Amino acid sequence: MSWLPSNDPVLGDVSTCDALDLTIVPRTRDLGDGFAVRRALPHGRRQMVGPFIFFDHFGPVQFMAGRGMDVRPHPHIGLATVTYLFDGSIMHRDSEGNIQEIQPGAMNLMTAGRGIAHSERTPDVQRRDGQKMLGLQSWIALPQASEEIAPSFQHYAAESLPTVRDSGFTARIIAGSAFGATSPVSMVSPWFYTEVTAQAGTSLPLDPDHEERAIYVVDGEIEIANERYEGPRLLIFRPGDRITATATKPTRMMFLGGDALEGPRHIWWNFVSSSKERIEQAKQDWKTGRFAAVPQEHGFIPLPE
C-alpha cells in the first residue's frame, strides 16, 4: 500500500474511560472499483502506537471475475510492512526475489530497512474467478539503529502461528506474545499483534506488558468501562492500566502495540526515517531507478510530484 497525507480521522469521545487516551474513527477512501480503505494511523494527534506508524483497513470488497487489485511496484525504507488478510489473496513480489501468495490468517512481514520495492496484485486464479477481499496493512517503524538493515521477508502460514482458544474467544498470535503464547516471527524491536474473535458476552484482558497499546475493532462492538465502541475504531490506551474489553456482539478485533521508539519519525509517501535527509535520498533513488527491480514486473508507481 502507499501513503500520502490527507485530512485526519474524526475523533471519538473518550468519555468516562480514564485509561483511554484517544479514540480514532478511521476515515474512508475509495481507491476505485469500490475498493474501500479506512486509515487510522498516522493521525495528527498520534503518530505511532509503539512502532505502529501506519494502519490501513481495506475492504470488504467483492471483485467480479476479471477484476482485481493492482498495486504496481513502489519503494519503502525505514519500516516493515505487515499484510494480514481475513478474506481473499494477494500476490506479493519484491526486489529481493521473494514471491509469495498471501492468504487469510498468514503473517507476512516485509522489512524494508535500507530499501526494498514490491508489488501487490490479485493472483491469476482469483482474478479469473473473482474474490472477496478484507484485510489490514500496517507499517512498523524501525528503531534508529536498525533503519538501514538489509531488507528481508518473512512468511508464516496461518497454521504455523500459535492459536489460543478458550470459552468464547479465539486469538491468533501474529507477532510478539499474548495470552501465554509467542509468535515465531523475528522482530528488531518489542511489539505485538494479535487477531481476536469473540462471542457476545466474552471478556478479554489487554495486559499492560507493553508501554503502548491499542485495540482496533474491525467489526462488532466492545464495552470498556461501561462505554461501548463499535467498529471500525482504534482505541489507544494510556500506559500501565489493566484493560478489560467485553464483546457485546460477535466481534473481530486486533490487539496491538509495543515499546515506544526513541523519537518521532518523518514520513513521506512510502518512506519512514528519523532523518529528513535520508528521505530526500530515497526520493532521488526511486526517481533515478537506483532501487532494485521487482521480478516479473515491468511498470512502477512514479514518485509523487
Side-chain angles (χ1 to χ4, degrees), residues 51-52 82 107 109 140 175-177 187 189-193 210 257-259:
F52 284 80
V82 180
M107 165 51 151
L109 180 68
I140 309 298
S177 298
M187 302 177 294
S189 67
W191 54 279
F192 72 100
Y193 198 30
H210 290 272
D259 292 359

Side-chain angles (χ1 to χ4, degrees), residues 48 50-52 140-144 189 211-212 258-265:
M48 289 183 279
F52 284 80
I140 309 298
L142 300 178
Q144 191 169 353
S189 67
E211 183 179 359
E212 298 185 353
D259 292 359
L261 297 185
E262 67 282 347
R265 291 294 184 268

Side-chain angles (χ1 to χ4, degrees), residues 5-9 27 42:
S6 58
N7 294 331
D8 288 334
R27 61 190 180 276

